């Protein structure tokens, strides 16, 4: 099976913001996701957020942390929590294990297919920015549930130690 590089598309249509992730979504796309989370928090007239993962073959934990950040960015601004559409059983299991059902409505098919999607400009991330985002993403995940706290504690501690020492390899 060919693994396609991850892509993010977006659309905003009559109050509904849609984010579609496809391929192998990894930490390289986190700056783009982070950017989106920040913008969403300030989007006027936002009524619903849909995240479509049906074409995502893999979503790494850093990318998941930023999806959680999207949910947190719009918390209290929407009538219902953001919706994640995922029909891949592996992706779905990962979302369940990581506690996403607390922050998102999880579905395996959308109510309607959204109209126009445009490719988001990939925001480049330097190594420093990348490390900060990996740390932020995993801190967010750790706060979601006990499983994540145990799972990501060692990684977070390692990254925090690296941040504390001025020169890392």
């Amino acid at each position: 099976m060919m693994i396609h590089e991850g892509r993010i598309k977006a659309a905003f249509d009559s109050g509904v913001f849609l984010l579609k992730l496809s391929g192998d979504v990894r930490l390289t796309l986190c700056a783009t996701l982070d950017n989106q989370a920040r913008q969403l928090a300030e989007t006027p007239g936002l009524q619903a957020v849909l995240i479509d993962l049906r074409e995502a073959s893999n979503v790494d934990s850093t990318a998941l942390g930023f999806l959680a950040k999207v949910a947190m960015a719009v918390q209290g601004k929407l009538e219902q929590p953001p919706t994640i559409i995922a029909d891949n059983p592996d992706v779905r299991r990962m979302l369940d294990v990581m506690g996403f059902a607390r922050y998102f409505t999880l579905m395996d098919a959308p109510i309607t297919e959204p109209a126009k999607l445009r490719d988001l400009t990939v925001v480049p991330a330097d190594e420093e920015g990348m490390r900060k985002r990996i740390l932020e993403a995993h801190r967010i995940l750790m706060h979601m549930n006990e499983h994540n706290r145990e799972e990501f504690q060692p990684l977070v501690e390692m990254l925090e130690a690296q941040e504390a020492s001025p020169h890392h390899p």
Side-chain angles (χ1 to χ4, degrees), residues 24-149:
D24 190 5
V25 182
R26 298 188 168 272
L27 52 91
T28 45
L29 290 170
C30 284
T32 312
L33 280 172
D34 192 13
N35 216 15
Q36 217 45 64
R38 289 171 207 270
Q39 282 175 22
L40 269 182
E42 287 145 30
T43 303
L46 184 67
Q47 290 162 11
V49 174
L50 273 173
I51 298 171
D52 186 346
L53 299 180
R54 286 174 299 167
E55 287 177 19
S57 51
N58 174 56
V59 184
D60 79 2
S61 55
T62 305
L64 284 173
F66 278 94
L67 288 182
K69 184 175 180 173
V70 167
M72 288 161 195
V74 296
Q75 224 169 10
K77 293 184 169 72
L78 304 176
E79 283 177 29
Q80 69 261 59
T83 301
I84 290 185
I85 305 157
D87 55 5
N88 175 326
D90 296 337
V91 172
R92 193 55 195 263
R93 194 170 323 122
M94 196 164 54
L95 295 172
D96 287 336
V97 166
M98 292 214 185
F100 271 64
R102 267 179 62 193
Y103 300 90
F104 292 91
T105 303
L106 301 176
M107 300 170 73
D108 42 25
I111 299 156
T112 55
E113 285 296 340
K116 306 170 192 65
L117 282 166
R118 59 180 172 84
D119 277 301
L120 285 185
T121 313
V122 174
V123 180
D126 57 2
E127 209 174 313
E128 183 61 24
M130 197 94 97
R131 202 177 54 252
K132 284 193 162 74
R133 287 199 173 89
I134 293 170
L135 184 55
E136 179 185 1
H138 290 86
R139 280 184 181 142
I140 290 171
L141 291 171
M142 277 175 70
H143 288 296
M144 288 172 77
N145 68 18
E146 189 55 34
H147 164 272
N148 296 356
R149 201 181 63 70

